[in-house]
Amino acid sequence: MTREKGKTTTQSKLPPDFGKQEQKVSKEANPAEDASLEDTASSSACSPEQESELSLVKKDIITAIHELKGELKGEFTGRCDEILKAVDEAKTEISNCTERIAQAETRISTVEDDYATLADMVEKLEKRNKALESKVVDMETRSRLNNVRLVNMPEGAESNDPCSFLESWLPDALDMAPLRTPIVLERAHRIGPKRSAEEPPRALIMKFQNYRQKVAVMSAARKKNDILYKNIRVRLYNDLATEVHKQRRQFDSVRQQLRALGLRHGISPPAKLLVTYNEQTYTFDKPSEVQQLINKIQEDNGLED
């Protein structure tokens, strides 16, 4: 009671606006503190029940915030671990790729070096192979120098002894002058399997024992345009290697054009085409070269299509 009275007595001695002046000064000095004081004042104005409810709500909010922080921290930590793991895997893959690229570059460099060496070797082998093929073709052609190919002779005309038949038939068919020695053939035979009657007869190959007799027979065949056997026209050709025949066949199309233009031409052994134009003879190894000459002749004579 005494204290309360003393407090009242003291308060009564202070000016009426003493508290208001202090509050005004404090507000001017620190507005933020004044706002907090007002909040405190307002909260102090709440009832005890409301204060307890507010404290429970605050606790719940604080608890929820702590739980959320924990969840976020755990999720963030897990994601960071996954990212770090993915980064480590990427580093490992990049390292492996770098090693593989280095190995691939080494292998590619080795292959390029080997390729350069092999390319040079292949070029040399191709030249050598071409030279060897030419020699083989030449040897095969020489081995057939004594041979003559008889085309369109009916099957069975030679009976069972083709050598005897040809030795007696050739001088009469070619109107050859009497020879010092009779024609002697080493052998004669048909080429390929037997054909039916509707198909063209097989060619007949004969080999002369004497090369001079073969030359005489071919010379007589060139002089006589039509060689007949029972009113059937037959032809005699020099027997050549298979490769030479292929090389000669490639000129077939241009030779037809030369015949149409009326130009003299022929084959020079083994497979070169000779063309005479304006009293000048040209030699060709490829049909494309002959075609250029044909085009030039057509331009000169105004025969372009």
Side-chain angles (χ1 to χ4, degrees), residues 18-295:
F18 179 77
K20 294 180 180 179
Q21 291 177 357
E22 287 183 349
Q23 289 178 1
K24 186 177 181 180
V25 172
S26 63
K27 285 181 180 180
E28 293 175 356
N30 193 352
E33 185 178 355
D34 182 56
S36 63
L37 290 173
E38 287 180 358
D39 292 339
T40 305
S42 62
S43 61
S44 61
C46 296
S47 62
E49 294 179 356
Q50 291 176 345
E51 289 180 356
S52 62
E53 289 179 0
L54 288 173
S55 62
L56 291 174
V57 171
K58 288 180 180 179
K59 288 181 181 179
D60 293 340
I61 292 172
I62 292 169
T63 303
I65 290 171
H66 286 305
E67 290 177 355
L68 182 61
K69 284 182 177 180
E71 291 177 359
L72 291 174
K73 184 177 180 181
E75 185 177 357
F76 180 75
T77 303
R79 290 184 178 180
C80 285
D81 292 340
E82 292 177 359
I83 293 171
L84 292 174
K85 184 179 179 181
V87 170
D88 291 337
E89 292 177 354
K91 286 181 178 179
T92 304
E93 290 180 0
I94 291 171
S95 177
N96 294 334
C97 289
T98 304
E99 291 179 2
R100 291 179 181 177
I101 291 172
Q103 293 175 0
E105 288 178 348
T106 303
R107 292 178 181 176
I108 291 170
S109 178
T110 304
V111 170
E112 287 178 348
D113 295 338
D114 293 342
Y115 172 77
T117 304
L118 292 173
D120 185 42
M121 187 182 298
V122 167
E123 185 177 358
K124 292 179 180 178
L125 290 174
E126 284 180 348
K127 291 180 179 179
R128 186 178 180 184
N129 184 53
K130 188 174 181 180
L132 291 173
E133 284 182 352
S134 300
K135 287 184 178 181
V136 169
V137 172
D138 182 66
M139 291 175 63
E140 185 179 355
T141 302
R142 290 178 183 275
S143 69
R144 297 175 183 236
L145 284 177
N146 287 16
N147 292 2
V148 172
R149 184 184 295 257
L150 179 59
V151 178
N152 206 34
M153 176 64 71
E155 293 272 354
E158 69 277 15
S159 187
N160 295 328
D161 190 358
C163 289
S164 299
F165 166 75
L166 293 171
E167 289 171 354
S168 61
W169 175 78
L170 283 172
D172 295 336
L174 300 176
D175 298 331
M176 297 178 67
L179 301 174
R180 293 182 181 179
T181 58
I183 294 175
V184 178
L185 297 178
E186 185 176 329
R187 64 176 179 270
H189 61 87
R190 296 276 182 175
I191 300 175
K194 193 171 183 179
R195 300 177 181 176
S196 62
E198 293 79 13
E199 295 178 322
R202 295 172 294 168
L204 198 154
I205 299 293
M206 64 189 84
K207 183 175 182 180
F208 288 80
Q209 196 171 35
N210 189 324
Y211 178 72
R212 290 184 178 181
Q213 289 184 348
K214 182 249 183 176
V215 172
V217 167
M218 294 304 297
S219 177
R222 281 192 295 269
K223 291 178 181 178
K224 187 169 184 178
N225 293 329
D226 293 333
I227 305 172
L228 302 177
Y229 173 79
K230 294 182 179 179
N231 296 327
I232 298 174
R233 186 180 179 184
V234 297
R235 299 180 298 277
L236 292 172
Y237 299 102
N238 287 313
D239 188 29
L240 302 171
T242 305
E243 185 62 28
V244 175
H245 278 293
K246 290 180 180 178
Q247 294 174 3
R248 290 190 175 190
R249 285 196 202 102
Q250 67 182 350
F251 292 108
D252 288 348
S253 60
V254 292
R255 292 185 72 180
Q256 290 179 0
Q257 298 180 53
L258 292 172
R259 292 190 193 98
L261 293 173
L263 296 177
R264 289 176 55 194
H265 63 280
I267 296 292
S268 174
K272 292 184 179 181
L273 184 65
L274 303 179
V275 180
T276 302
Y277 176 64
N278 287 340
E279 298 182 357
Q280 186 176 357
T281 302
Y282 301 88
T283 304
F284 301 99
D285 295 321
K286 298 179 180 179
S288 57
E289 299 173 351
V290 185
Q291 190 63 52
Q292 292 177 1
L293 177 63
I294 292 173
N295 295 338

